[in-house]
Amino acid sequence: MSEVKVNKISPRSGTTVTLGDSGDTFTIPSGATINNQGTATNFGATGSASWVTTVKTGDFTAVAGEGYFVNTTSGAITVTLPASPSAGAVVAVKDYANTFDTNAVTLGRNGSNIGGQALDSTISTEGLAVTLVFVDATKGWLVTDSGLQNEAPGPLYITASGGTPTTDGDFKIHTFTGPGTFSVSCAGNASGNNQIEYLVVAGGGGGGASYGGGAGAGGFRFASPSISPLTYPAKPLAAPTSITATAQTYPIAIGAGGAGSANNPSADSKVGSVSTFSTITSTGGGAGAYTIAASGGGSPGGSGGGGSVSGSGAPGSAGTTGTGNTPPTSPAQGTNGGLAYCGGGYSSGGGGGAIQAGVPSPNGNCGGQGGDGGGLPTAFGSNGVPCGSYRYYAGGGGGGGHSSGGLNVKAGGKGGGGDSGGSGAGQNSPANSGGGGGGGSNQQPFNYNGGTGGSGIVVIRYKFQN
């Protein structure tokens, strides 16, 4: 093969240089060509790429100057960008089968920045074609086909509004003490954060009257994989996964507390109402049994209501309790109510709490204590009933007693459970605690009403920055 080396080619006349005869094609070693019609192909101009028509179906390393059709039908694929690229290097990627939204492509940065960040990029938009040009060490690879870097997004975080927002470090907290809407305008992505943590507590039940049962707490459901410390009172009730955000509006419902019963057969205690967020529904707390009711049984709910002596038979027997975690969830949203006692005294059981069942009535005239609710670190907000370094929700109400003399008050469980009436009416549970109302006493010659359950609450938590 002959080789001709010259420094310059000049025309004999004019300004046009003609190479070869009509019909000839000259091939440039880099892969660029100019045909006999004067069309230049694959000259590697900045911002353009030569598309490789062999479809890619697995991980590969891209070559500067080339574009690739990538088929992710069978699974996610990583496209590793060229190492140590020169300024002007071009790489392009196109969704071959419109499956990037199902199985995304990851652009491996291979030591260079993407969009000014030292992070890999994820392409998860169906049908997307992206062209990137390497500019310099600072910005690295930039998207040029649309001029918008978010076509090949780096880390994105959730942006949302609604309720009462507060911050805790890199996390934002939205607290709903009444009905409202949680509006997500940006759902984030896996490179940043797209996970919503939540606490959903329903309204607590109302306490029974006249040595009535303590009411059950509202259902307690939460998920918070990021929360610290590693152990805290409500940890056994934590759901294993949070909710993946989508850009939409989420209606929020806050359950009301159930009314306590009056000393009248036509005014029995009431169950609490449900609270909801997204796919999460927490059931209202069961009502504490009312002593004049035929069954004497506490009603089911998020946590069950305590039993009453009117459901007892022979001395020493006990009225039935309300069943908690009804309907069932996993982890459980609550516990059972406590049994009543009849024989040598009359007294009713405590209502179930989120993490502890209602305490059965002891052998005597005093009712059973309400079960404890779930305690969370203050990283989940400043609401709830403070106890030590935690905020508690969904405590069961204390059970009422019966005596001709003074009665000891039986405490409601941690988390807003109302105390028993002692020698008076059952205590109401605080608003937005989800606690059950306390049972009223039968302090002769008076019969006392049960307490009202506490309303529920919804708290939403997510990472909004790094």
Side-chain angles (χ1 to χ4, degrees):
M1 175 180 293
S2 299
E3 181 177 348
V4 178
K5 294 184 179 181
V6 296
N7 292 326
K8 182 179 179 181
I9 300 175
S10 300
R12 290 183 176 180
S13 61
T15 59
T16 301
V17 175
T18 301
L19 301 177
D21 297 324
S22 178
D24 291 344
T25 298
F26 286 83
T27 301
I28 309 302
S30 64
T33 60
I34 304 175
N35 64 20
N36 63 317
Q37 302 299 316
T39 301
T41 304
N42 196 25
F43 245 53
T46 298
S48 65
S50 178
W51 289 87
V52 177
T53 55
T54 300
V55 177
K56 298 290 188 180
T57 57
D59 297 347
F60 66 96
T61 298
V63 175
E66 294 185 348
Y68 303 92
F69 298 96
V70 181
N71 184 353
T72 63
T73 300
S74 299
I77 290 175
T78 296
V79 179
T80 302
L81 297 174
S84 303
S86 300
V90 181
V91 169
V93 174
K94 166 65 180 173
D95 185 1
Y96 173 81
N98 290 332
T99 53
F100 281 8
D101 56 328
T102 303
N103 295 310
V105 159
T106 297
L107 297 178
R109 68 187 193 92
N110 203 7
S112 300
N113 287 345
I114 299 178
Q117 299 186 70
L119 295 166
D120 293 343
S121 180
T122 300
I123 304 175
S124 57
T125 302
E126 178 181 329
L128 187 66
V130 175
T131 299
L132 301 102
V133 177
F134 184 82
V135 180
D136 54 31
T138 301
K139 288 296 185 179
W141 297 92
L142 293 177
V143 172
T144 60
D145 62 336
S146 67
L148 298 174
Q149 185 59 36
N150 63 7
E151 294 285 357
L156 297 177
Y157 293 85
I158 295 171
T159 303
S161 61
T164 301
T166 56
T167 57
D168 179 59
D170 293 333
F171 286 83
K172 188 162 286 188
I173 301 164
H174 295 252
T175 302
F176 292 83
T177 56
T181 301
F182 180 63
S183 300
V184 178
S185 56
C186 176
N189 62 20
S191 297
N193 180 66
N194 60 358
Q195 296 300 301
I196 297 174
E197 302 175 353
Y198 60 85
L199 168 68
V200 181
V201 180
S210 184
Y211 44 83
F220 177 95
R221 302 185 66 186
F222 87 103
S224 185
S226 70
I227 204 168
S228 60
L230 296 178
T231 60
Y232 47 91
K235 181 69 171 180
L237 304 181
T241 58
S242 46
I243 294 172
T244 301
T246 59
Q248 66 174 80
T249 57
Y250 295 86
I252 304 292
I254 303 297
S261 61
N263 188 34
N264 184 320
S266 64
D268 206 352
S269 51
K270 305 299 182 183
V271 299
S273 300
V274 302
S275 292
T276 59
F277 162 60
S278 185
T279 58
I280 305 301
T281 297
S282 294
T283 308
Y290 177 35
T291 191
I292 299 177
S295 67
S299 61
S303 283
S308 166
V309 297
S310 67
S312 304
S317 64
T320 58
T321 68
T323 303
N325 195 32
T326 304
T329 63
S330 181
Q333 60 177 310
T335 63
N336 298 338
L339 292 168
Y341 177 83
C342 179
Y346 304 92
S347 52
S348 297
I355 205 164
Q356 180 187 32
V359 177
S361 169
N363 184 1
N365 288 316
C366 293
Q369 185 170 318
D372 286 343
L376 294 171
T378 54
F380 231 100
S382 59
N383 292 82
V385 180
C387 184
S389 59
Y390 301 108
R391 298 277 173 165
Y392 281 81
Y393 303 84
H402 167 259
S403 174
S404 59
L407 294 175
N408 294 323
V409 172
K410 297 308 292 189
K414 294 178 182 177
D419 293 347
S420 74
S423 57
Q427 185 184 74
N428 297 334
S429 176
N432 303 119
S433 69
S441 75
N442 183 258
Q443 176 65 52
Q444 297 297 330
F446 303 106
N447 297 319
Y448 292 94
N449 299 343
T452 299
S455 55
I457 192 169
V458 171
V459 182
I460 296 167
R461 182 176 188 267
Y462 57 87
K463 191 172 185 180
F464 75 103
Q465 64 183 15
N466 189 16

